[in-house]
Amino acid sequence: MSFPLLTATAALPALGAVATAAVPAARRTAAKWLALVVSLATLALAVTVLVRFDPGGARYQLTESHAWIKDFGVRYELGVDGIAVALIALTAVLIPFIILAGWHDADPLETGSRRWRPTQGFFALILAVEAMVVISFEATDVFVFYIFFEAMLIPMYFLIGGFGDHAHEHGEETAATQRSYAAVKFLLYNLVGGLIMLAAVIGLYVVAGNFSLTEIAEARAAGSLHMATSTERWLFLGFFFAFAVKAPLWPLHTWLPNAMQEATAPVAVLITAVVDKVGTFAMLRFCLQLFPEASKWATPVILVLALISIVYGALLAVGQRDIKRLVAYASISHFGFIVMGVFAMTSQGQSGATLYMVNHGISTAALMLVAGFLISRRGSRLIADYGGVQKVAPVLAGTFLIGGLATLSLPGLAPFVSEFLVLVGTFTRYPVIGIIATFGIVLAALYTLVLYQRTMTGPVKPAVSAMPDLRARELVVVAPLIVLLIFLGVYPKPVTDIVNPAVKQTMSDVHKKDPKPAVEAAK
């Protein structure tokens, strides 16, 4: 029996989480180093998965299948396609930077504080989230996916509510109340989505007799499994609702600004760059593959919701006074582009959406982590409390600018390629939607450049006059992310070569072909 590489990639951070939590309280630094080493070892396994994956081979590779709950047809089934491989690699790359960026976020609080935070718990929870996200990308059994899709809510709840940001203008007591509110709101929204999905999962089992994604899809393609139109649509809606909450898609998005505002910057990155990607990934893997006809039926409404997310998120980002809330609303706008690409039902749109998931993860991590370093120095999230930072901390300001330019999809940086593909793929089938969506780009330039101008330029405010520049640990966090943004901006081929075959298979699932160009190429 071959080495279970996919299981090992998910099990290693899970075991690392247990080991980190078990480190004695007096050895906090050892717990941090253990978590970092485990995350780097997980990255090595993810790279091995990437190297062993053959884009031109079978759809699902490195597969594992074992009986689990025989009476209910549940099997422990794992397998990865090109889309899953790219997102596993993204997750494994970001977690070490998240750990490094949050190196002091769970240190003991000042004497006299009523709050006590176990440092080991903070890093153990991050590794636990990584394990659950990775296995969610790997699962090809719907029941296995559902378990970890929901289970990741538990560590995220404690990361938001128990290890939240201290930069609050109204004091520690109000901050604690806001953190609790954000954590509960995050949990309730996602639990409601998960419960609706559970009903759909049970319904799928009643119809299909098993939970295997590959078996159900093959049976549907072969015509041996027939699903009534109304049944398929209801099941699709049950799955899509849960994924739209996780994504998040308007109008199910309102938990995200609160969660990102109250979480520490590394945890905010964990939310939007890692956890939320499970929702958009699942739309491609489960909605389109299991319910192709219902997916096409719902496409016009979903595209309108995605368009609202793009414009609404960008408009609200323009008016924000809080740096973290601005990045949160910008992410809502970007997730609108991703969902639009998925349901444009073109190969360019879906390739762009998958590439966008990767690039958005990197660009948001770069911008939010630098913003976190800025906030930790000043002790405030409010944009109005900054000014002239580039004169006292030029490296911090420069990296902040690059992260911001990537967020507005500047040509030459990674998100531009993915956003361009999404817009082209949408325009070829839905030109009106594609045209309106371009306003999101204009608004992105507005909120990003205004943020930079108000925080980094102008006269130096007294409160930032002695602000130190980025330290060595912070440079180690930010520099590789900027290198990735530039590299994938000028040479996205390594990612597109991996995801394009999987996108073609997804297009085949929904029986869609790219529209023919209006003007034939000259011979």
Side-chain angles (χ1 to χ4, degrees):
M1 182 171 146
S2 60
F3 179 71
L5 184 57
L6 297 186
T7 294
T9 307
L12 181 58
L15 294 174
V18 174
T20 302
V23 173
R27 306 192 64 183
R28 291 186 302 273
T29 303
K32 297 176 184 180
W33 280 106
L34 176 59
L36 181 60
V37 169
V38 169
S39 69
L40 292 172
T42 304
L43 175 58
L45 287 176
V47 170
T48 305
V49 171
L50 184 63
V51 170
R52 291 189 57 185
F53 182 79
D54 177 13
R59 179 170 194 170
Y60 293 109
Q61 299 177 35
L62 306 174
T63 55
E64 302 173 31
S65 181
H66 308 282
W68 186 15
I69 309 174
K70 291 184 178 180
D71 292 343
F72 295 97
V74 179
R75 297 184 63 82
Y76 175 77
E77 285 190 351
L78 306 180
V80 288
D81 59 4
I83 299 169
V85 167
L87 293 174
I88 290 170
L90 170 70
T91 302
V93 165
L94 290 181
I95 294 298
F97 297 127
I98 288 172
I99 290 172
L100 272 175
W103 200 253
H104 297 298
D105 285 355
D107 286 350
L109 300 173
E110 63 276 5
T111 304
S113 173
R114 293 187 298 171
R115 296 182 64 218
W116 174 79
R117 304 184 303 174
T119 303
Q120 298 87 334
F122 178 75
F123 295 99
L125 290 170
I126 291 174
L127 290 176
V129 172
E130 179 180 22
M132 294 174 188
V133 168
V134 168
I135 202 166
S136 296
F137 290 141
E138 296 173 345
T140 55
D141 183 280
V142 177
F143 191 80
V144 173
F145 170 83
Y146 174 78
I147 288 174
F148 292 99
F149 179 81
E150 286 294 279
M152 71 179 71
L153 301 180
I154 299 171
M156 286 306 309
Y157 169 80
F158 287 108
L159 283 169
I160 297 168
F163 300 91
D165 195 354
H166 293 287
H168 201 290
E169 62 272 23
H170 299 302
E172 172 62 25
E173 199 163 319
T174 302
T177 302
Q178 292 295 330
R179 283 192 293 269
S180 297
Y181 172 76
V184 170
K185 189 174 184 179
F186 162 81
L187 188 64
L188 288 179
Y189 266 70
N190 284 275
L191 277 179
V192 169
L195 289 173
I196 292 174
M197 181 183 169
L198 177 60
V201 169
I202 295 171
L204 180 66
Y205 175 76
V206 171
V207 172
N210 66 78
F211 294 104
S212 173
L213 169 69
T214 53
E215 289 183 20
I216 296 172
E218 288 171 2
R220 295 212 66 187
S224 57
L225 173 61
H226 298 282
M227 203 178 288
T229 300
S230 59
T231 301
E232 180 178 348
R233 290 177 179 178
W234 280 112
L235 294 178
F236 167 85
L237 290 174
F239 278 73
F240 180 79
F241 183 86
F243 303 152
V245 172
K246 184 84 80 178
L249 184 69
W250 185 92
L252 305 171
H253 67 284
T254 59
W255 63 267
L256 182 65
N258 295 98
M260 288 186 66
Q261 177 182 350
E262 299 304 328
T264 62
V267 173
V269 171
L270 188 65
I271 295 169
T272 191
V274 177
V275 171
D276 288 353
K277 297 301 188 298
V278 178
T280 47
F281 162 80
M283 292 178 189
L284 278 167
R285 172 167 281 192
F286 296 101
C287 287
L288 269 60
Q289 193 169 345
L290 291 174
F291 315 110
E293 297 305 317
S295 297
K296 290 186 284 188
W297 162 76
T299 287
V301 174
I302 294 172
L303 287 177
V304 171
L305 295 179
L307 185 61
I308 294 173
S309 287
I310 292 169
V311 179
Y312 172 85
L315 282 172
L316 263 64
V318 171
Q320 291 306 307
R321 299 184 304 117
D322 184 299
I323 297 173
K324 286 185 174 181
R325 288 184 73 88
L326 187 151
V327 178
Y329 280 111
S331 290
I332 291 169
S333 181
H334 296 150
F335 276 107
F337 277 108
I338 294 171
V339 174
M340 187 174 74
V342 170
F343 284 91
M345 301 295 181
T346 60
S347 58
Q348 299 101 324
Q350 291 185 358
S351 293
T354 305
L355 190 60
Y356 213 140
M357 292 185 222
V358 175
N359 293 337
H360 172 264
I362 300 169
S363 63
T364 299
L367 180 62
M368 179 58 85
L369 292 179
V370 177
F373 299 149
L374 180 70
I375 291 168
S376 66
R377 285 159 165 74
R378 174 66 178 81
S380 173
R381 301 187 301 248
L382 298 180
I383 297 171
D385 289 340
Y386 297 88
V389 174
Q390 67 180 10
K391 295 177 183 177
V392 296
V395 177
L396 189 155
T399 53
F400 190 82
L401 178 61
I402 295 173
L405 293 176
T407 298
L408 64 82
S409 298
L410 182 77
L413 296 175
F416 169 76
V417 182
S418 42
E419 197 165 279
F420 179 79
L421 285 172
V422 166
L423 288 171
V424 168
T426 304
F427 184 83
T428 56
R429 199 180 291 279
Y430 302 98
V432 174
I433 297 287
I435 291 170
I436 298 174
T438 57
F439 285 101
I441 301 175
V442 178
L443 292 171
L446 179 61
Y447 63 69
T448 300
L449 296 177
V450 168
L451 171 64
Y452 184 83
Q453 182 215 8
R454 291 179 178 174
T455 56
M456 302 295 164
T457 66
V460 179
K461 291 200 172 183
V464 304
S465 60
M467 180 177 289
D469 213 335
L470 291 184
R471 302 178 179 92
R473 172 180 59 86
E474 295 165 338
L475 283 171
V476 169
V477 170
V478 177
L481 295 175
I482 290 175
V483 170
L484 281 173
L485 286 174
I486 297 171
F487 175 76
L488 293 177
V490 298
Y491 191 65
K493 190 173 183 293
V495 180
T496 55
D497 283 350
I498 293 172
V499 304
N500 281 346
V503 165
K504 288 181 181 179
Q505 291 165 327
T506 304
M507 289 284 292
S508 176
D509 292 334
V510 293
H511 310 295
K512 283 281 191 178
K513 295 181 179 179
D514 290 328
K516 292 183 178 179
V519 179
E520 296 290 337
K523 295 182 179 179

